[in-house]
């Protein structure tokens, strides 16, 4: 099994109750830090531009961005929130075994998690009753190798 599949399987099966107290504490600490940085950076130039750009694109299913009144595309939501999270913190020092700063991941994960709820419904069998069709999620295999 490929590493990406193993990680996805682990994430899909993991439950909050399985996390130890130290892990929960550290995630909360980093999330609060990211949100505080976003609030501090809210009126700065780059975050303001990112919010204006994201506000111009409306998307369903979409993702939320801090300060937005509508949902935008998931990539723009992740970009905008990422700018907000990192604008004041962009050059802080983070020494760990992996090179990414923890707040670098929050924006993309939040956008993906928000859209995943809508996508999982649209790809499920119940969507056919509303949309008239069911989306087949197979990585494009059917399109590349249609049944004869």
């Amino acid at each position: 099994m490929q590493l990406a599949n193993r990680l996805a399987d682990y994430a899909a099966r993991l439950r909050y109750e399985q996390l130890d107290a130290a892990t929960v504490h550290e995630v909360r600490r980093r999330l609060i830090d990211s949100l505080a940085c976003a609030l501090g950076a809210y009126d700065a130039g780059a975050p303001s531009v990112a919010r204006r750009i994201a506000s111009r694109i409306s998307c369903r299913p979409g993702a939320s961005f801090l300060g937005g009144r509508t949902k935008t595309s998931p990539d723009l939501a992740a970009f905008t929130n990422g700018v907000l999270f990192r604008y004041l913190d962009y050059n802080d020092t983070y020494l760990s075994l992996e090179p990414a700063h923890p707040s670098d991941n929050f924006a993309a994960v939040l956008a993906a998690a928000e859209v995943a709820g809508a996508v999982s419904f649209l790809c499920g069998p119940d969507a056919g009753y509303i949309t008239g069709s069911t989306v087949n999620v197979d990585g494009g295999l059917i399109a590349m190798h249609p049944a004869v």
Side-chain angles (χ1 to χ4, degrees):
M1 180 184 288
Q2 292 183 354
L3 179 59
N5 292 344
R6 288 177 42 213
L7 290 172
D9 185 56
Y10 172 79
R13 294 177 191 274
L14 184 65
R15 297 291 170 251
Y16 180 81
E17 297 77 25
Q18 295 172 283
L19 300 173
D20 62 272
T23 298
V24 171
H25 173 79
E26 290 303 318
V27 170
R28 285 180 179 166
R29 193 176 87 155
R30 285 171 176 83
L31 186 57
I32 289 169
D33 176 69
S34 296
L35 291 171
C37 286
L39 287 173
Y42 190 81
D43 290 322
S48 295
V49 170
R51 281 195 321 279
R52 279 197 305 274
I53 292 168
S55 295
R56 293 181 181 156
I57 306 296
S58 178
C59 187
R60 296 280 185 253
S64 305
F65 60 98
L66 298 172
R69 294 186 178 164
T70 62
K71 293 187 181 213
T72 190
S73 65
D75 59 323
L76 280 176
F79 172 75
T80 303
N81 289 335
V83 170
L84 282 160
F85 291 159
R86 296 295 286 144
Y87 187 73
L88 295 179
D89 237 5
Y90 71 94
N91 64 351
D92 68 342
T93 302
Y94 178 71
L95 302 174
S96 183
L97 296 176
E98 52 26 77
H101 190 282
S103 64
D104 291 338
N105 301 307
F106 285 135
V109 169
L110 291 173
E114 186 173 1
V115 173
V119 171
S120 65
F121 171 76
L122 290 173
C123 295
D126 294 334
Y129 298 114
I130 296 170
T131 64
S133 64
T134 300
V135 178
N136 189 8
V137 181
D138 65 358
L141 291 176
I142 287 180
M144 294 171 54
H145 307 287
V148 180

